[in-house]
Amino acid sequence: MRLLFVFGVVGIMLLIAHTEAVRCNCNCTLNYIPLCAVDATGDEDTFPNQCALECYNCTHNKDYVVRRQGECSHTTTTRPRTRPISRTA
């Protein structure tokens, strides 16, 4: 009976972890289509593409929105949020 309880608890924990991981779609392509985005605090950062922006918002509980297409002229944070992985011609 104790073993069944342990397996039940472990199963529930795995289900919760899986649900949380599936919640954010971070299966992004390597296409570099930069977007300049800003959050509610005014921080401005370049993201490699829309998927990377959405993934970052989801996994970090942020609210960046696209300001314009292309790289930001400057970044207001001390460290870049993301780095381009691959540039395509």
Side-chain angles (χ1 to χ4, degrees), residues 20-78:
E20 189 65 24
V22 171
R23 187 175 74 87
C24 298
N25 177 18
C26 294
N27 189 17
C28 301
T29 66
L30 299 180
N31 294 337
Y32 188 68
I33 307 166
L35 299 171
C36 181
V38 64
D39 71 0
T41 66
D43 286 339
E44 187 175 82
D45 286 292
T46 300
F47 291 85
N49 56 46
Q50 184 70 38
C51 180
L53 170 73
E54 292 169 4
C55 174
Y56 185 84
N57 278 342
C58 184
T59 57
H60 292 86
N61 197 28
K62 295 291 185 174
D63 61 352
Y64 278 89
V65 293
V66 176
R67 176 173 274 179
R68 65 181 167 277
Q69 290 187 348
E71 295 182 4
C72 299
S73 56
H74 68 283
T75 300
T76 57
T77 56
T78 57

